[in-house]
Amino acid sequence: MSHNCQAIVFTCMDFRFHSDIRDFLVSLGLKDEYDLVSLAGVTKGLAEDDALSKELILKQIEISKKLHSISEVYLIHHMDCGAYGGHQAFDSLEEEKSKQLTDLSTAKKIINEKFPAMEVKKILARVESRDEKNEIDFELIN
Ligand SMILES: [Zn+2]
């Protein structure tokens, strides 16, 4: 019996993002096509070369690949992440975004060192207030 899926998705544990992340993934055609891992700060530990985080994250990809033959990894970081100390840990939004993009790139590099054929997609989410409603924007990073 084969039960394959397309991707493994890493998100922050932050409850504010889950339903929007699900909608976003569905909009990408990934409905029922991904394994899901939620970790505070997503790949922060991996990017900082924390041995435990690295082992944990690479292990999940390995299992997902073995069991479900995935070919893609989605890394969904977000602004104002508590694991990074939130907005207030940075002097500006630009500095915060720059740190997030750096960590995403570092994580992608480490993942591709172990899984060269895996397509790693980097995404940065942020909460935007529109018409007094909070909405989540997703930016696909090249
Ligand atoms: Zn977070």
Side-chain angles (χ1 to χ4, degrees):
M1 192 186 77
S2 143
H3 46 274
N4 294 340
C5 70
Q6 189 174 331
I8 186 168
V9 175
F10 288 89
T11 70
C12 188
M13 66 193 287
D14 193 325
F15 70 95
R16 294 174 294 168
F17 293 86
H18 293 313
S19 56
D20 284 287
I21 285 173
R22 184 183 155 77
D23 291 347
F24 172 68
L25 292 169
V26 168
S27 80
L28 295 178
L30 284 167
K31 184 175 192 287
D32 299 332
E33 280 291 338
Y34 59 91
D35 291 328
L36 181 63
V37 181
S38 286
L39 296 167
V42 201
T43 63
K44 179 175 186 283
L46 179 64
E48 291 173 352
D49 206 25
D50 173 68
L52 194 63
S53 296
K54 185 174 179 179
E55 186 184 341
L56 175 71
I57 287 171
L58 295 178
K59 185 79 178 172
Q60 303 311 302
I61 297 170
E62 191 176 304
I63 293 170
S64 184
K65 181 171 177 268
K66 187 174 165 198
L67 295 183
H68 303 146
S69 305
I70 55 149
S71 57
E72 296 175 342
V73 178
Y74 284 76
L75 306 177
I76 308 181
H77 276 225
H78 70 95
M79 298 286 280
D80 197 28
C81 183
Y84 282 85
H87 285 317
Q88 63 267 31
F90 300 91
D91 290 335
S92 65
L93 287 176
E94 290 71 30
E95 186 192 309
E96 182 182 5
K97 184 173 178 181
S98 167
K99 168 67 173 161
Q100 288 292 342
L101 298 188
T102 301
D103 281 4
L104 280 166
S105 293
T106 305
K108 176 177 176 164
K109 187 166 159 277
I110 293 168
I111 291 167
N112 277 145
E113 277 166 11
K114 180 155 170 118
F115 305 100
M118 204 62 74
E119 193 174 338
V120 181
K121 314 246 191 198
K122 302 175 290 179
I123 291 146
L124 185 59
R126 71 176 69 85
V127 180
E128 296 285 351
S129 289
R130 280 191 207 93
D131 305 327
E132 296 175 22
K133 257 181 36 190
N134 282 339
E135 293 179 9
I136 313 288
D137 277 356
F138 295 92
E139 184 181 353
L140 189 57
I141 313 292
N142 289 316

